Amino acid sequence: MNSFKSALIALVCSSLFACNATAPNIKPRDGSENITQGQAKARSNVVSEVDYQLSFTLTGETRFEAISKIDFSLASTAEALTIDLNQANISKLLINGKSLYPNYNGAYLTINPLLLSSGKNTIEISYSREHSTNGEGLHRFEDPVDGKVYLYSHFEPAAAQQMFAVFDQPDLKASFQITVEAPPSWQVISTMAETHIEDLGDSKIWTFPATPKLSPYNFSMHAGPYHVWQDNSGKYPMRLFARQSVAEQVNYQDWFTYTKQGLSFFDDYFGIDYPFKKYDQLLVPDFLYGAMENAGAITYSESRFMVKDTMTAAQRQRLAGVIMHEMAHQWFGNLVTMKWWNGLWLNESFASFMGTLATSEATEFNHAWRSFYASGKLKAYQQDSLVTTHPIEVPVASSNNAFDNIDAITYSKGASVLMQLRHLLGAETFQQGVQQYLKTYSYQNAQLADFINSLAKASNRDLSQWTQEWLYQAGVNTLTAQYQCKDHRISKFSLLQSAPSEDFATLREQKVQVALFRAARHFIHHSTTVAVTYKGAITEVPELVGEYCPDLVYPNFDDWGFVKVELDQRSFNTVKQQLAKVSDPLLRSMLWQSMWDSVSDGHTSLKQFINVALVNAPLEKDYTILGQVIGYLTEVQKNLHSMAPNHKSYATKVSKALTQMSLRMTMEHHDDADFQRRWFDAYISLASDNAALGHLADILAGIAPIKGLTISQDLRWKIIIQLNRYDYPNSAALLANEKQQDNSDSGQKSAIAAEVSRPQASLKRQWLHKIQHDSQLPFAKARIAMVHLYPSEQKLLSAATAEQRLDTLSEIDKKGPVFMRAYNRALIPMDCTNANIEALSEVLNTQTGLSKMTRRALLEARQQEQTCVSMSEALAR
């Protein structure tokens, strides 16, 4: 082939179509931004030694300009190569120095192999793009208070392509060197500390050195006129950033204290110094999640970690815990990264486990494992009991499915399983295995087998069976103590393990502690504890034969195992009558959960649980458990609302009792700010009758103060939302006035919550149309509207649009996973009726093209409806 003909073919293939676009047995990409695991593997098989040189011009306007220069090695030029770049206007493409017209479909460029060389290649792309407004890519936010513009990036799982041209997959690690031109008053933050800032008068150019090898989703760049705090008192320089208009709400001392404590703990635990030299943290608006572990520049959601009040103990602990979680990722996730998204669970499970361990051992919150049980672990038990349960390790077909299974199983069950593996192997052995894993795979990608093999080597133990049972099989087992007594002594003792169903029949091995208790007049006496490794259906425990016959047996004492505990009848009766006498707070927390499980599983009536709660909740002296119990009470009221009108009289009676109890306890705890605030929050959320709502209105007006309680701006909005939810007289005017007084971002979102919750049919339809069709409504505000549109007691208003919401679900589902994750959670119709169960079944049977995520949400909604109907029927008996 002569040179002219070769060049002509190259130009045509580059401009119009891909020649030899895919390898055998690999389907071509579908034109979207998503990439399958097979396509990603094929790309990483030929691409290596990737370096990015990225240049950005930022003005604060809605578009930005940029140049992406990619240096890489190519093992083979036999197949076409794709480079991800989402919705950009490309002005120039250079391939190995030659200018060409791009073959670009709005999601990725396809590069003809004839234009590339085996070995080193350089591709340079100049383009402009709109800033994102949905929390992904390079997100732009304009502060409504002062008009200042703030940018931050978010790339997980595959949104780096919304900011620059990239091989957007985790196993193509690369170095990133960036240059940023920005307005002179702005800060620019990235993985590395800047090496030079050039002042051009109207702008500044920030130059950053190349990063260590990172997966694209671990890199970040943020810019804007952020307020900055600095602390250089520790081993690594620390900075904290927030918007100017909210800076006074930031308690930066807490941030630096917990950060310094965590860095010291992790350096020691991992045996490897923190890899990214400086530690930046940013509070950002409109964030999709709680936080994101960008290497060296972690982002946090303002709405979750910023309050217009003194932080409560729970809020401070949550802050410390999330700081530790994201910090653990700097080693486990950033330093060593999964090869593909099926490994995301290990990143998150390990960070959840290590974050809790660090919080409990390095901060003031030494009860962190109890908090983990009362929140994360209980959610994992619930999630693992659903029809949609899944193994911890699951295949992920494409980048679009990366978050399909990001749930309490991924985070909290995984963390719990790692905790019980630590008990099984021993704490020191587990730590040695982790250190070996991190040292072996630093700045590389690794798989589950690499992690398990490191632990197996450290423990000199075959973990293949453990891996199969715990990571590749779904479902949570139930553990029950079975025993006989003779002459007041135990004559036989066994642990019975059962599986949830034939579909999830695995019986697992794990190590737990079995504890025996005897009831005395004023307390429950802890008599005996033995450690037992059980497996199979029945495990005999001869060590307990001869002990005094117990009044209470708990076969997972200190929460070593991941297993639901079903109390034997004698123990259950003891708990019902004497729960407050149990002095051990973790045990008391677990007994509360056993009581609630008994209701959910249909063994105990909701009425019986309410009676126990009304007696014992006011006696609860542990702050963490109180939060757990209030969560149950809130769920009780929600269920009773959903059951209307079947149990209207009883629901009204219970709501009034719960409200009065919450107010009484708020007043009694005037000398304990944390307890008082927890009870007052409960009072607001439970208030539904005119007397309670009127009292809240008086508190808001300042004519019914409660001793010790300060009504902050956050509490003002909570009260206004509740008053509007029940259309209390003058509540609309209160909303309008507060909206004028507080024009902040959080104020605007609170105003939306209050407005959409009002029980007005026309208003509901207007907002539903906005949510479904208004592309100008920022996603962060749409998400708030979704959550508050149909409160549980507004059944008739929800029913009025239920059919339309179900009929349009397949069309709405096309909005993608970010939108649908929020939409499904809030707007799939719930009615606690057999008719709604049938309606959900009809959608599942007929709308066969729904995404996996939405089908899963429908299945879970149907199961939740079935449980509610069963509870309602039991309550009627």
Side-chain angles (χ1 to χ4, degrees), residues 173-174 176 190-194 209-215 218-219 235-239 263 267 272-280 293-298 326-337 442-444:
K173 284 198 163 187
F176 298 81
S190 190
T191 300
M192 310 298 288
E194 67 277 4
T211 68
K213 293 289 184 182
L214 294 172
S215 293
N218 297 140
F219 176 67
K235 186 176 178 181
Y236 309 101
M238 299 178 292
R239 295 187 297 180
L263 287 167
D267 269 2
I272 297 173
D273 282 354
Y274 168 66
F276 303 111
K277 308 308 179 188
K278 55 89 180 171
Y279 206 88
D280 288 340
E293 67 268 19
N294 315 303
I298 301 90
E326 304 308 326
M327 192 178 292
H329 274 308
Q330 303 303 310
W331 286 264
F332 207 105
N334 295 356
L335 180 66
V336 181
T337 314
S442 287
Y443 301 107
Q444 301 176 55

Side-chain angles (χ1 to χ4, degrees), residues 733-755:
L734 288 172
L735 165 59
N737 181 66
E738 203 72 22
K739 192 174 179 180
Q740 275 193 330
Q741 298 298 318
D742 182 8
N743 190 42
S744 67
D745 178 57
S746 61
Q748 289 185 5
K749 289 170 180 171
S750 295
I752 289 173
E755 181 181 334

Side-chain angles (χ1 to χ4, degrees), residues 89-130:
N89 289 338
I90 297 175
S91 57
K92 187 176 183 181
L93 170 65
L94 293 174
I95 300 177
N96 290 328
K98 296 180 180 179
S99 181
L100 292 165
Y101 186 81
N103 177 11
Y104 179 54
N105 64 1
Y108 52 85
L109 297 93
T110 302
I111 309 298
N112 190 309
L114 296 177
L115 301 172
L116 301 171
S117 306
S118 293
K120 293 289 186 181
N121 290 270
T122 299
I123 293 177
E124 186 174 317
I125 305 164
S126 301
Y127 60 96
S128 65
R129 192 192 190 279
E130 289 280 343

Side-chain angles (χ1 to χ4, degrees), residues 738-773:
E738 203 72 22
K739 192 174 179 180
Q740 275 193 330
Q741 298 298 318
D742 182 8
N743 190 42
S744 67
D745 178 57
S746 61
Q748 289 185 5
K749 289 170 180 171
S750 295
I752 289 173
E755 181 181 334
V756 302
S757 67
R758 292 184 59 76
Q760 298 172 1
S762 60
L763 183 73
K764 301 289 184 188
R765 290 187 180 277
Q766 289 169 14
W767 270 102
L768 181 61
H769 185 271
K770 276 187 183 181
I771 291 166
Q772 292 180 332
H773 303 294

Side-chain angles (χ1 to χ4, degrees), residues 407-632:
D407 54 23
I409 293 175
T410 302
Y411 281 77
S412 299
K413 181 181 179 178
S416 302
V417 164
L418 291 175
M419 182 58 161
Q420 63 98 345
L421 180 59
R422 181 175 181 253
H423 283 301
L424 200 62
L425 303 182
E428 289 186 9
T429 300
F430 184 86
Q431 182 180 359
Q432 289 168 7
V434 169
Q435 289 181 348
Q436 185 59 47
Y437 171 77
L438 292 173
K439 289 174 183 175
T440 302
Y441 298 101
S442 287
Y443 301 107
Q444 301 176 55
N445 296 92
Q447 302 181 85
L448 173 62
D450 301 318
F451 179 68
I452 295 298
N453 288 340
S454 296
L455 295 178
K457 184 177 179 181
S459 62
N460 195 28
R461 176 173 176 152
D462 183 358
L463 293 176
S464 57
Q465 183 65 29
W466 181 92
T467 302
Q468 182 61 36
E469 289 179 357
W470 284 103
L471 304 183
Y472 290 100
Q473 302 297 325
V476 56
N477 299 116
T478 298
L479 189 63
T480 306
Q482 185 182 75
Y483 56 97
Q484 298 173 7
C485 295
K486 186 177 181 180
D487 297 328
H488 306 294
R489 300 276 182 172
I490 295 174
S491 58
K492 183 177 177 60
F493 196 104
S494 306
L495 292 178
L496 306 184
Q497 179 183 195
S498 60
S501 67
E502 291 183 1
D503 294 331
F504 305 107
T506 301
L507 298 178
R508 299 170 172 88
E509 175 186 357
Q510 64 178 325
K511 190 175 184 179
V512 295
Q513 292 187 113
V514 181
L516 309 182
F517 300 84
R518 301 193 73 198
R521 184 175 181 182
H522 299 295
F523 61 93
I524 302 291
H525 173 66
H526 181 189
S527 57
T528 304
T529 301
V530 296
V532 179
T533 300
Y534 72 85
K535 58 182 177 180
I538 302 176
T539 301
E540 302 292 337
V541 189
E543 301 96 314
L544 293 176
V545 173
E547 296 288 339
Y548 278 108
C549 193
D551 296 301
L552 168 64
V553 177
Y554 201 81
N556 187 25
F557 187 63
D558 276 348
D559 195 32
W560 283 16
F562 183 82
V563 64
K564 289 176 69 174
V565 170
E566 182 178 328
L567 296 173
D568 64 274
Q569 191 59 52
R570 182 182 175 97
S571 297
F572 190 80
N573 291 336
T574 299
V575 172
K576 282 197 300 181
Q577 297 164 14
Q578 305 184 62
L579 177 58
K581 294 181 182 178
V582 176
S583 59
D584 182 280
L586 177 56
L587 177 62
R588 201 162 63 251
S589 176
M590 293 190 288
L591 292 172
W592 270 107
Q593 181 59 26
S594 290
M595 293 285 293
W596 182 249
D597 283 342
S598 186
V599 176
S600 302
D601 296 340
H603 301 150
T604 303
S605 73
L606 187 62
K607 185 176 292 186
Q608 197 171 21
F609 178 86
I610 292 168
N611 290 339
V612 173
L614 286 171
V615 171
N616 287 280
L619 303 175
E620 187 53 65
K621 304 301 182 186
D622 184 88
Y623 181 72
T624 300
I625 299 176
L626 178 60
Q628 176 186 346
V629 175
I630 287 174
Y632 296 142

Side-chain angles (χ1 to χ4, degrees), residues 316-420:
R316 292 199 319 276
Q317 183 180 342
R318 182 173 64 173
L319 172 61
V322 175
I323 286 174
M324 299 303 172
H325 178 106
E326 304 308 326
M327 192 178 292
H329 274 308
Q330 303 303 310
W331 286 264
F332 207 105
N334 295 356
L335 180 66
V336 181
T337 314
M338 66 208 164
K339 284 192 175 180
W340 182 245
W341 297 109
N342 62 311
L344 183 58
W345 78 266
L346 184 55
N347 275 9
E348 297 301 345
S349 295
F350 189 83
S352 296
F353 165 77
M354 286 303 308
T356 308
L357 184 66
T359 304
S360 68
E361 296 189 8
T363 76
E364 68 205 77
F365 306 107
N366 54 16
H367 58 283
W369 282 112
R370 286 201 290 112
S371 300
F372 172 79
Y373 173 83
S375 54
K377 195 166 187 177
L378 296 188
K379 290 178 183 176
Y381 284 144
Q382 180 185 24
Q383 189 78 48
D384 213 14
S385 301
L386 297 176
V387 292
T388 54
T389 187
H390 56 84
I392 293 175
E393 171 86 4
V394 292
V396 175
S398 79
S399 56
N400 190 49
N401 304 111
F403 282 176
D404 281 356
N405 294 305
I406 294 299
D407 54 23
I409 293 175
T410 302
Y411 281 77
S412 299
K413 181 181 179 178
S416 302
V417 164
L418 291 175
M419 182 58 161
Q420 63 98 345

